Amino acid sequence: MGAWNKRDDMLIHTAEPFNAEPPPAALAGHPITPTDTFYSRNHGNIPRIDPASWRLSVDGLVERPLELSLADLQSRFEHHTVVATLACAGNRRGELMAVRDIPGQTPWRSAAISTARWTGVRLRDVLAAAGPSGEAHHIAFTGADRATGIDPAQPFGGSIPADKATSGDVLLAWRMNDEPLPVAHGAPVRVIVPGYVGARSVKWVERITAQRHPSSSYFQALDYRVLPAETDPGTAPAGSGLSLSVAALNSAILTPSEGSHVLVGPNLVTGYATAGEHRAVARVDVSADGGKNWRVADMEHPPGPWAWVLWRATVNLPPGRVEITARAWDTSAATQPEHPEPLWNPLGYLNTSWSNVHLIAAL
Ligand SMILES: Nc1nc2c(c(=O)[nH]1)N[C@H]1C(S)=C(S)[C@@H](COP(=O)(O)O)O[C@H]1N2
Ligand SMILES: [Mo]
């Protein structure tokens, strides 16, 4: 067992803050990711919070501000379970960094994405108890951790539109995969915002604020934004570029592993695909000749409406060096762009280009 109860073969990008992703092959074959394999993304220390003294305040534009203990949360509201995929908006950033460097950002490969069963209470029910005003267009979350390397120092935070917050899909969760939520994943309680970039699923949540405008947290106002390619993120004013909210259409190959030696002839290729909110993965295509010819993959039934689709296809490989490519389509008939180059952006978010692995096939 490695750091923070993760498997030994995690790729640890940084030990502090702890940023780690599993080998892609470890995600394959598990519609629900085992907790020891689930990626971990942190901007600061991982706080250890005593569940008995933890309190959640619900404040801002509400009629009745609340201060809830864990026991209050668990006894006053109905429990609910959602299977949801979390994906970091920086997933697959490494391929963007190969186009042009992105200093100071984590070079995620394709496994900063995982799926779990989350149990808690609906944010909608907690908000209803506080009575938000009609002016509360955004619901902001504040965590208990201190992000490192940003000025001024501040906790991690972010917000979602009130419509999403009251949709019934968003959870305040204390269980993950039918066990207590691990410290590294936000214990005692984290937010789960299915269908949104992982950054909005705030861990160690301590405060929920109903407000007129999106969160002024660094992580909402300056980070997690797609800036125009020529913008300098160091001097861009708050609110520059496009704020990330809903997750993107994306896919990646999980097996065979990059660089592996395989046998000539039929080979099984597996991977995942995700679609944005209000859309579903409609089809995944796999090519063994750089996209000239495609084969339609078989898709597994996802473990829930907010979960990824795992897929598989058998391709026939000639001898020599081969490149396997995958691309997904969604129910609006949109598909992924071919190359990362035109997607390059200064903070390196949302690389949704075709996924490739390179193999050597021999008899
Ligand atoms: N408090 C807090 N919440 C956080 C973060 C963080 O650093 N601090 N990271 C966010 C980001 S960017 C992602 S992608 C997800 C990762 O969740 P995980 O570590 O459980 O995989 O948590 C989000 N919630
Ligand atoms: Mo993230």
Side-chain angles (χ1 to χ4, degrees):
M1 198 64 90
W4 299 104
N5 296 330
K6 293 296 165 187
R7 49 192 293 147
D8 285 326
D9 57 357
M10 293 294 273
L11 169 59
I12 298 181
H13 292 285
T14 53
E16 255 177 80
F18 184 60
N19 285 306
E21 66 184 303
L27 294 175
H30 298 286
I32 308 268
T33 311
T35 303
D36 71 350
T37 305
F38 202 102
Y39 81 101
S40 189
R41 178 32 173 152
N42 299 290
H43 294 81
N45 63 311
I46 293 181
R48 290 191 184 270
I49 299 169
D50 172 14
S53 54
W54 175 85
R55 294 291 181 276
L56 175 67
S57 25
V58 184
D59 58 17
L61 301 173
V62 295
E63 279 163 38
R64 296 170 296 278
L66 307 175
E67 195 178 76
L68 302 167
S69 67
L70 187 54
D72 292 335
L73 201 65
Q74 293 176 335
S75 63
R76 283 182 53 182
F77 306 97
E78 193 193 315
H79 295 191
H80 186 60
T81 296
V82 168
V83 174
T85 297
L86 287 193
C88 187
N91 189 32
R92 305 185 59 208
R93 180 186 284 125
E95 297 160 64
L96 295 176
M97 292 170 87
V99 172
R100 188 164 141 198
D101 193 24
I102 302 173
Q105 297 283 348
T106 307
W108 295 106
R109 294 158 83 165
S110 53
I113 179 169
S114 301
T115 301
R117 271 170 65 82
W118 309 96
T119 302
V121 295
R122 290 184 175 91
L123 175 60
R124 176 182 69 192
D125 296 347
V126 175
L127 286 174
S133 86
E135 305 277 270
H137 302 306
H138 298 268
I139 304 298
F141 311 116
T142 308
D145 51 337
R146 290 266 137 197
T148 45
I150 57 166
D151 190 24
Q154 56 188 282
F156 186 87
S159 63
I160 58 173
D163 288 353
K164 179 70 177 177
T166 54
S167 64
D169 303 319
V170 179
L171 289 191
L172 302 175
W174 59 80
R175 287 179 78 74
M176 176 179 185
N177 292 340
D178 304 311
E179 286 176 9
L181 184 66
V183 173
H185 291 291
V189 175
R190 78 175 299 169
V191 184
I192 291 293
V193 186
Y196 271 43
V197 295
R200 305 306 175 221
S201 290
V202 174
K203 301 190 275 189
W204 313 290
V205 61
E206 281 188 329
R207 187 169 172 207
I208 297 177
T209 310
Q211 51 192 60
R212 206 164 274 120
H213 301 290
S215 168
S216 55
S217 159
Y218 174 87
F219 299 97
Q220 183 89 32
L222 285 155
D223 202 358
Y224 291 96
R225 307 186 76 92
V226 174
L227 301 176
E230 298 314 319
T231 302
D232 173 1
T235 56
S240 305
L242 311 172
S243 176
L244 297 176
S245 57
V246 300
L249 173 64
N250 212 341
S251 67
I253 296 168
L254 294 173
T255 64
S257 303
E258 171 66 24
S260 52
H261 291 248
V262 297
L263 292 175
V264 163
N267 274 267
L268 182 67
V269 181
T270 74
Y272 65 77
T274 58
E277 211 186 19
H278 308 306
R279 295 178 182 188
V281 176
R283 197 179 82 206
V284 176
D285 301 332
V286 179
S287 171
D289 57 10
K292 285 187 208 69
N293 294 284
W294 297 93
R295 164 168 295 249
V296 174
D298 294 321
M299 301 194 299
E300 275 180 32
H301 192 69
W306 296 107
W308 60 12
V309 168
L310 297 183
W311 53 263
R312 52 174 57 222
T314 301
V315 293
N316 215 19
L317 300 185
R321 292 178 182 278
V322 234
E323 185 181 56
I324 311 276
T325 303
R327 67 171 184 209
W329 298 76
D330 71 18
T331 42
S332 77
T335 190
Q336 299 176 239
E338 180 170 354
H339 296 296
E341 285 82 354
L343 298 173
W344 190 93
N345 60 96
L347 295 169
Y349 292 120
L350 300 192
N351 175 20
T352 58
S353 58
W354 294 0
S355 165
N356 300 304
V357 302
H358 304 88
L359 307 173
I360 296 164
L363 289 166

